[in-house]
Amino acid sequence: MRSILAIAGLVVVVGLGYLGFTFMGDSGQSDDSGRELSSIEEKLAVQGPMGDIALGDPNAPVTIYEYASLTCSHCGTFHREIYPELKSKYIDTGKVRFILRPFSFDGAATAAFMISRCAGDDRYYKFIDALFDTQNQWIRGEETMGALAGVAKQGGFTQESFNACLQRADILADLQAVFKQGAEEVGVNSTPTLFINGEMFSGVPVNDAGQPDFTVFEKILLKHLPES
């Protein structure tokens, strides 16, 4: 446990809101559909040692990478207010392939991602959803790790398996590698940061009233769908 909380290399400034939309990268090779890939997409395609866990059709015309921290409040807002509609309208219908990559900025977020990985590929996103949904409950108190253990136990962990998971050097190495790749190769410096077919934006999409709004995000997404 102490080794997790002592991690100093997984630090990033939390995103402060929707900051815009900036294209990155020049043209590169083509994917299986013939669409020309940007150099940033080629860099994003490089996975960590344990590989990505993806949702959606692997041949979907749009791939979204999200770099997020489980203790980032803006990431929680995105997943509670924007992500459910993205999943139902675009991921589940085969239009979008979605990959969440961990970008932890504290020990609690690192531990939470480790637990999600230990849960198994088929339950990874279920744990991610549960941790974002209960974010205010497990990150606010003085006993954060005890509260996190409580969430894990609801998902089938015992105290012993919880403790054992947090000693997994392979998972920790994967988190560190993904963080390094995100920061050094594709320019992630805040969370959430999303790449839609290589195009990057940070924060939570909001409307003119400053409220999280899926339609704002959808307008960006539709630019990348062939039928739009």
Side-chain angles (χ1 to χ4, degrees), residues 8-15 67-69 71-72 75 102-106 109 179 182-183 187-193:
L10 302 178
V11 180
V12 67
V13 177
V14 181
Y67 287 81
S69 173
T71 53
C72 161
C75 300
F103 204 74
S104 302
F105 56 86
D106 56 41
F179 183 94
V188 178
N189 60 17
S190 65
T191 56
T193 291

PDB file of all heavy atoms in Angstrom, residues 8-15 67-69 71-72 75 102-106 109 179 182-183 187-193:
ATOM      1  N   ALA A   8       5.596   9.301  -7.078  1.00  0.00           N
ATOM      2  CA  ALA A   8       5.778  10.734  -7.316  1.00  0.00           C
ATOM      3  C   ALA A   8       5.744  11.071  -8.791  1.00  0.00           C
ATOM      4  O   ALA A   8       5.643  12.238  -9.153  1.00  0.00           O
ATOM      5  CB  ALA A   8       7.110  11.195  -6.718  1.00  0.00           C
ATOM      6  N   GLY A   9       5.841  10.052  -9.647  1.00  0.00           N
ATOM      7  CA  GLY A   9       5.938  10.318 -11.080  1.00  0.00           C
ATOM      8  C   GLY A   9       4.624  10.500 -11.785  1.00  0.00           C
ATOM      9  O   GLY A   9       4.578  10.917 -12.934  1.00  0.00           O
ATOM     10  N   LEU A  10       3.486  10.203 -11.127  1.00  0.00           N
ATOM     11  CA  LEU A  10       2.201  10.290 -11.793  1.00  0.00           C
ATOM     12  C   LEU A  10       1.484  11.557 -11.356  1.00  0.00           C
ATOM     13  O   LEU A  10       0.553  11.539 -10.575  1.00  0.00           O
ATOM     14  CB  LEU A  10       1.353   9.057 -11.459  1.00  0.00           C
ATOM     15  CG  LEU A  10       1.974   7.716 -11.837  1.00  0.00           C
ATOM     16  CD1 LEU A  10       1.070   6.575 -11.420  1.00  0.00           C
ATOM     17  CD2 LEU A  10       2.248   7.649 -13.326  1.00  0.00           C
ATOM     18  N   VAL A  11       1.952  12.705 -11.860  1.00  0.00           N
ATOM     19  CA  VAL A  11       1.402  13.987 -11.431  1.00  0.00           C
ATOM     20  C   VAL A  11       0.994  14.802 -12.648  1.00  0.00           C
ATOM     21  O   VAL A  11       1.727  14.891 -13.616  1.00  0.00           O
ATOM     22  CB  VAL A  11       2.441  14.799 -10.622  1.00  0.00           C
ATOM     23  CG1 VAL A  11       1.862  16.130 -10.188  1.00  0.00           C
ATOM     24  CG2 VAL A  11       2.889  14.006  -9.400  1.00  0.00           C
ATOM     25  N   VAL A  12      -0.185  15.421 -12.589  1.00  0.00           N
ATOM     26  CA  VAL A  12      -0.653  16.261 -13.682  1.00  0.00           C
ATOM     27  C   VAL A  12      -1.635  17.284 -13.136  1.00  0.00           C
ATOM     28  O   VAL A  12      -2.320  17.032 -12.154  1.00  0.00           O
ATOM     29  CB  VAL A  12      -1.339  15.431 -14.798  1.00  0.00           C
ATOM     30  CG1 VAL A  12      -2.610  14.814 -14.320  1.00  0.00           C
ATOM     31  CG2 VAL A  12      -1.569  16.268 -16.053  1.00  0.00           C
ATOM     32  N   VAL A  13      -1.681  18.443 -13.754  1.00  0.00           N
ATOM     33  CA  VAL A  13      -2.629  19.471 -13.340  1.00  0.00           C
ATOM     34  C   VAL A  13      -4.016  19.101 -13.839  1.00  0.00           C
ATOM     35  O   VAL A  13      -4.186  18.717 -14.996  1.00  0.00           O
ATOM     36  CB  VAL A  13      -2.218  20.845 -13.919  1.00  0.00           C
ATOM     37  CG1 VAL A  13      -3.236  21.906 -13.550  1.00  0.00           C
ATOM     38  CG2 VAL A  13      -0.834  21.235 -13.422  1.00  0.00           C
ATOM     39  N   VAL A  14      -5.023  19.234 -13.000  1.00  0.00           N
ATOM     40  CA  VAL A  14      -6.387  18.892 -13.382  1.00  0.00           C
ATOM     41  C   VAL A  14      -6.903  19.912 -14.386  1.00  0.00           C
ATOM     42  O   VAL A  14      -6.718  21.111 -14.227  1.00  0.00           O
ATOM     43  CB  VAL A  14      -7.300  18.886 -12.149  1.00  0.00           C
ATOM     44  CG1 VAL A  14      -8.715  18.496 -12.538  1.00  0.00           C
ATOM     45  CG2 VAL A  14      -6.760  17.940 -11.094  1.00  0.00           C
ATOM     46  N   GLY A  15      -7.587  19.442 -15.438  1.00  0.00           N
ATOM     47  CA  GLY A  15      -8.190  20.331 -16.417  1.00  0.00           C
ATOM     48  C   GLY A  15      -9.252  21.217 -15.779  1.00  0.00           C
ATOM     49  O   GLY A  15     -10.002  20.778 -14.924  1.00  0.00           O
ATOM     50  N   TYR A  67      -7.698  10.324 -21.922  1.00  0.00           N
ATOM     51  CA  TYR A  67      -6.755  10.262 -20.817  1.00  0.00           C
ATOM     52  C   TYR A  67      -7.435  10.892 -19.615  1.00  0.00           C
ATOM     53  O   TYR A  67      -7.840  12.060 -19.657  1.00  0.00           O
ATOM     54  CB  TYR A  67      -5.464  11.001 -21.162  1.00  0.00           C
ATOM     55  CG  TYR A  67      -4.600  10.262 -22.166  1.00  0.00           C
ATOM     56  CD1 TYR A  67      -4.864  10.330 -23.531  1.00  0.00           C
ATOM     57  CD2 TYR A  67      -3.519   9.486 -21.738  1.00  0.00           C
ATOM     58  CE1 TYR A  67      -4.078   9.644 -24.456  1.00  0.00           C
ATOM     59  CE2 TYR A  67      -2.721   8.801 -22.660  1.00  0.00           C
ATOM     60  CZ  TYR A  67      -3.012   8.889 -24.008  1.00  0.00           C
ATOM     61  OH  TYR A  67      -2.227   8.202 -24.917  1.00  0.00           O
ATOM     62  N   ALA A  68      -7.574  10.112 -18.541  1.00  0.00           N
ATOM     63  CA  ALA A  68      -8.363  10.561 -17.394  1.00  0.00           C
ATOM     64  C   ALA A  68      -7.740  10.086 -16.099  1.00  0.00           C
ATOM     65  O   ALA A  68      -6.966   9.128 -16.069  1.00  0.00           O
ATOM     66  CB  ALA A  68      -9.800  10.043 -17.497  1.00  0.00           C
ATOM     67  N   SER A  69      -8.101  10.772 -15.025  1.00  0.00           N
ATOM     68  CA  SER A  69      -7.740  10.337 -13.675  1.00  0.00           C
ATOM     69  C   SER A  69      -9.022  10.085 -12.902  1.00  0.00           C
ATOM     70  O   SER A  69      -9.993  10.842 -13.014  1.00  0.00           O
ATOM     71  CB  SER A  69      -6.913  11.414 -12.966  1.00  0.00           C
ATOM     72  OG  SER A  69      -6.711  11.066 -11.604  1.00  0.00           O
ATOM     73  N   THR A  71      -9.576  10.452  -9.832  1.00  0.00           N
ATOM     74  CA  THR A  71      -9.832  11.438  -8.781  1.00  0.00           C
ATOM     75  C   THR A  71      -9.995  12.847  -9.339  1.00  0.00           C
ATOM     76  O   THR A  71     -10.084  13.808  -8.581  1.00  0.00           O
ATOM     77  CB  THR A  71      -8.698  11.432  -7.734  1.00  0.00           C
ATOM     78  OG1 THR A  71      -7.439  11.591  -8.391  1.00  0.00           O
ATOM     79  CG2 THR A  71      -8.710  10.147  -6.923  1.00  0.00           C
ATOM     80  N   CYS A  72     -10.060  12.978 -10.650  1.00  0.00           N
ATOM     81  CA  CYS A  72     -10.271  14.277 -11.308  1.00  0.00           C
ATOM     82  C   CYS A  72     -11.765  14.584 -11.354  1.00  0.00           C
ATOM     83  O   CYS A  72     -12.547  13.821 -11.932  1.00  0.00           O
ATOM     84  CB  CYS A  72      -9.676  14.223 -12.709  1.00  0.00           C
ATOM     85  SG  CYS A  72     -10.287  15.465 -13.852  1.00  0.00           S
ATOM     86  N   CYS A  75     -13.152  14.902 -14.866  1.00  0.00           N
ATOM     87  CA  CYS A  75     -13.308  13.591 -15.492  1.00  0.00           C
ATOM     88  C   CYS A  75     -14.599  12.934 -15.010  1.00  0.00           C
ATOM     89  O   CYS A  75     -15.327  12.312 -15.793  1.00  0.00           O
ATOM     90  CB  CYS A  75     -12.128  12.689 -15.165  1.00  0.00           C
ATOM     91  SG  CYS A  75     -10.525  13.320 -15.706  1.00  0.00           S
ATOM     92  N   PRO A 102      -5.397   5.476 -18.389  1.00  0.00           N
ATOM     93  CA  PRO A 102      -5.184   6.086 -17.077  1.00  0.00           C
ATOM     94  C   PRO A 102      -4.106   7.155 -17.107  1.00  0.00           C
ATOM     95  O   PRO A 102      -3.037   6.960 -17.691  1.00  0.00           O
ATOM     96  CB  PRO A 102      -4.763   4.894 -16.211  1.00  0.00           C
ATOM     97  CG  PRO A 102      -4.208   3.894 -17.170  1.00  0.00           C
ATOM     98  CD  PRO A 102      -4.984   4.067 -18.431  1.00  0.00           C
ATOM     99  N   PHE A 103      -4.390   8.272 -16.477  1.00  0.00           N
ATOM    100  CA  PHE A 103      -3.440   9.376 -16.360  1.00  0.00           C
ATOM    101  C   PHE A 103      -3.550   9.895 -14.929  1.00  0.00           C
ATOM    102  O   PHE A 103      -4.101  10.965 -14.667  1.00  0.00           O
ATOM    103  CB  PHE A 103      -3.758  10.456 -17.394  1.00  0.00           C
ATOM    104  CG  PHE A 103      -2.584  11.326 -17.763  1.00  0.00           C
ATOM    105  CD1 PHE A 103      -1.571  10.830 -18.570  1.00  0.00           C
ATOM    106  CD2 PHE A 103      -2.499  12.627 -17.320  1.00  0.00           C
ATOM    107  CE1 PHE A 103      -0.487  11.626 -18.926  1.00  0.00           C
ATOM    108  CE2 PHE A 103      -1.425  13.436 -17.677  1.00  0.00           C
ATOM    109  CZ  PHE A 103      -0.420  12.945 -18.480  1.00  0.00           C
ATOM    110  N   SER A 104      -3.033   9.129 -13.998  1.00  0.00           N
ATOM    111  CA  SER A 104      -3.234   9.381 -12.571  1.00  0.00           C
ATOM    112  C   SER A 104      -2.360  10.517 -12.072  1.00  0.00           C
ATOM    113  O   SER A 104      -1.183  10.601 -12.410  1.00  0.00           O
ATOM    114  CB  SER A 104      -2.918   8.127 -11.769  1.00  0.00           C
ATOM    115  OG  SER A 104      -3.711   7.040 -12.184  1.00  0.00           O
ATOM    116  N   PHE A 105      -2.932  11.377 -11.233  1.00  0.00           N
ATOM    117  CA  PHE A 105      -2.142  12.452 -10.655  1.00  0.00           C
ATOM    118  C   PHE A 105      -1.996  12.331  -9.142  1.00  0.00           C
ATOM    119  O   PHE A 105      -1.508  13.248  -8.482  1.00  0.00           O
ATOM    120  CB  PHE A 105      -2.725  13.829 -11.013  1.00  0.00           C
ATOM    121  CG  PHE A 105      -4.155  14.029 -10.628  1.00  0.00           C
ATOM    122  CD1 PHE A 105      -4.507  14.472  -9.366  1.00  0.00           C
ATOM    123  CD2 PHE A 105      -5.162  13.802 -11.556  1.00  0.00           C
ATOM    124  CE1 PHE A 105      -5.823  14.666  -9.016  1.00  0.00           C
ATOM    125  CE2 PHE A 105      -6.487  14.002 -11.205  1.00  0.00           C
ATOM    126  CZ  PHE A 105      -6.822  14.432  -9.938  1.00  0.00           C
ATOM    127  N   ASP A 106      -2.414  11.206  -8.572  1.00  0.00           N
ATOM    128  CA  ASP A 106      -2.174  10.958  -7.154  1.00  0.00           C
ATOM    129  C   ASP A 106      -2.254   9.459  -6.878  1.00  0.00           C
ATOM    130  O   ASP A 106      -2.652   8.668  -7.734  1.00  0.00           O
ATOM    131  CB  ASP A 106      -3.152  11.740  -6.264  1.00  0.00           C
ATOM    132  CG  ASP A 106      -4.611  11.458  -6.579  1.00  0.00           C
ATOM    133  OD1 ASP A 106      -4.956  10.279  -6.828  1.00  0.00           O
ATOM    134  OD2 ASP A 106      -5.415  12.399  -6.569  1.00  0.00           O
ATOM    135  N   ALA A 109      -5.807   7.699  -7.173  1.00  0.00           N
ATOM    136  CA  ALA A 109      -6.219   7.410  -8.551  1.00  0.00           C
ATOM    137  C   ALA A 109      -5.454   6.223  -9.100  1.00  0.00           C
ATOM    138  O   ALA A 109      -6.011   5.375  -9.808  1.00  0.00           O
ATOM    139  CB  ALA A 109      -6.001   8.639  -9.429  1.00  0.00           C
ATOM    140  N   PHE A 179       1.243   6.819 -18.706  1.00  0.00           N
ATOM    141  CA  PHE A 179       1.388   8.228 -18.314  1.00  0.00           C
ATOM    142  C   PHE A 179       2.529   8.889 -19.089  1.00  0.00           C
ATOM    143  O   PHE A 179       2.376   9.990 -19.638  1.00  0.00           O
ATOM    144  CB  PHE A 179       1.643   8.328 -16.806  1.00  0.00           C
ATOM    145  CG  PHE A 179       1.725   9.742 -16.302  1.00  0.00           C
ATOM    146  CD1 PHE A 179       0.613  10.376 -15.794  1.00  0.00           C
ATOM    147  CD2 PHE A 179       2.930  10.445 -16.349  1.00  0.00           C
ATOM    148  CE1 PHE A 179       0.688  11.692 -15.336  1.00  0.00           C
ATOM    149  CE2 PHE A 179       3.009  11.751 -15.902  1.00  0.00           C
ATOM    150  CZ  PHE A 179       1.887  12.375 -15.389  1.00  0.00           C
ATOM    151  N   GLY A 182       1.592   9.400 -22.726  1.00  0.00           N
ATOM    152  CA  GLY A 182       0.625  10.475 -22.891  1.00  0.00           C
ATOM    153  C   GLY A 182       1.256  11.841 -22.742  1.00  0.00           C
ATOM    154  O   GLY A 182       0.980  12.763 -23.532  1.00  0.00           O
ATOM    155  N   ALA A 183       2.111  11.995 -21.748  1.00  0.00           N
ATOM    156  CA  ALA A 183       2.730  13.289 -21.487  1.00  0.00           C
ATOM    157  C   ALA A 183       3.788  13.656 -22.519  1.00  0.00           C
ATOM    158  O   ALA A 183       3.839  14.790 -23.001  1.00  0.00           O
ATOM    159  CB  ALA A 183       3.338  13.290 -20.084  1.00  0.00           C
ATOM    160  N   GLY A 187       1.318  14.900 -25.819  1.00  0.00           N
ATOM    161  CA  GLY A 187       1.102  16.234 -25.273  1.00  0.00           C
ATOM    162  C   GLY A 187       0.005  16.381 -24.240  1.00  0.00           C
ATOM    163  O   GLY A 187      -0.521  17.478 -24.048  1.00  0.00           O
ATOM    164  N   VAL A 188      -0.342  15.319 -23.533  1.00  0.00           N
ATOM    165  CA  VAL A 188      -1.362  15.416 -22.493  1.00  0.00           C
ATOM    166  C   VAL A 188      -0.773  16.134 -21.280  1.00  0.00           C
ATOM    167  O   VAL A 188       0.291  15.761 -20.791  1.00  0.00           O
ATOM    168  CB  VAL A 188      -1.878  14.025 -22.075  1.00  0.00           C
ATOM    169  CG1 VAL A 188      -2.910  14.149 -20.959  1.00  0.00           C
ATOM    170  CG2 VAL A 188      -2.476  13.297 -23.276  1.00  0.00           C
ATOM    171  N   ASN A 189      -1.447  17.191 -20.804  1.00  0.00           N
ATOM    172  CA  ASN A 189      -0.984  17.875 -19.602  1.00  0.00           C
ATOM    173  C   ASN A 189      -2.129  18.256 -18.673  1.00  0.00           C
ATOM    174  O   ASN A 189      -1.934  19.018 -17.722  1.00  0.00           O
ATOM    175  CB  ASN A 189      -0.138  19.110 -19.951  1.00  0.00           C
ATOM    176  CG  ASN A 189      -0.905  20.136 -20.765  1.00  0.00           C
ATOM    177  OD1 ASN A 189      -2.131  20.117 -20.837  1.00  0.00           O
ATOM    178  ND2 ASN A 189      -0.178  21.042 -21.383  1.00  0.00           N
ATOM    179  N   SER A 190      -3.328  17.737 -18.950  1.00  0.00           N
ATOM    180  CA  SER A 190      -4.479  17.972 -18.082  1.00  0.00           C
ATOM    181  C   SER A 190      -5.480  16.847 -18.304  1.00  0.00           C
ATOM    182  O   SER A 190      -5.391  16.113 -19.284  1.00  0.00           O
ATOM    183  CB  SER A 190      -5.127  19.327 -18.366  1.00  0.00           C
ATOM    184  OG  SER A 190      -5.673  19.361 -19.679  1.00  0.00           O
ATOM    185  N   THR A 191      -6.420  16.720 -17.383  1.00  0.00           N
ATOM    186  CA  THR A 191      -7.450  15.696 -17.532  1.00  0.00           C
ATOM    187  C   THR A 191      -8.814  16.317 -17.337  1.00  0.00           C
ATOM    188  O   THR A 191      -8.962  17.233 -16.513  1.00  0.00           O
ATOM    189  CB  THR A 191      -7.259  14.556 -16.509  1.00  0.00           C
ATOM    190  OG1 THR A 191      -7.233  15.085 -15.182  1.00  0.00           O
ATOM    191  CG2 THR A 191      -5.978  13.795 -16.765  1.00  0.00           C
ATOM    192  N   PRO A 192      -9.833  15.844 -18.075  1.00  0.00           N
ATOM    193  CA  PRO A 192      -9.703  14.855 -19.150  1.00  0.00           C
ATOM    194  C   PRO A 192      -9.158  15.470 -20.425  1.00  0.00           C
ATOM    195  O   PRO A 192      -9.453  16.621 -20.745  1.00  0.00           O
ATOM    196  CB  PRO A 192     -11.151  14.389 -19.360  1.00  0.00           C
ATOM    197  CG  PRO A 192     -11.976  15.605 -19.009  1.00  0.00           C
ATOM    198  CD  PRO A 192     -11.242  16.275 -17.874  1.00  0.00           C
ATOM    199  N   THR A 193      -8.369  14.700 -21.156  1.00  0.00           N
ATOM    200  CA  THR A 193      -7.952  15.060 -22.509  1.00  0.00           C
ATOM    201  C   THR A 193      -8.417  13.961 -23.439  1.00  0.00           C
ATOM    202  O   THR A 193      -8.186  12.781 -23.172  1.00  0.00           O
ATOM    203  CB  THR A 193      -6.426  15.214 -22.602  1.00  0.00           C
ATOM    204  OG1 THR A 193      -6.029  16.370 -21.866  1.00  0.00           O
ATOM    205  CG2 THR A 193      -5.972  15.380 -24.048  1.00  0.00           C
TER     206      THR A 193
END
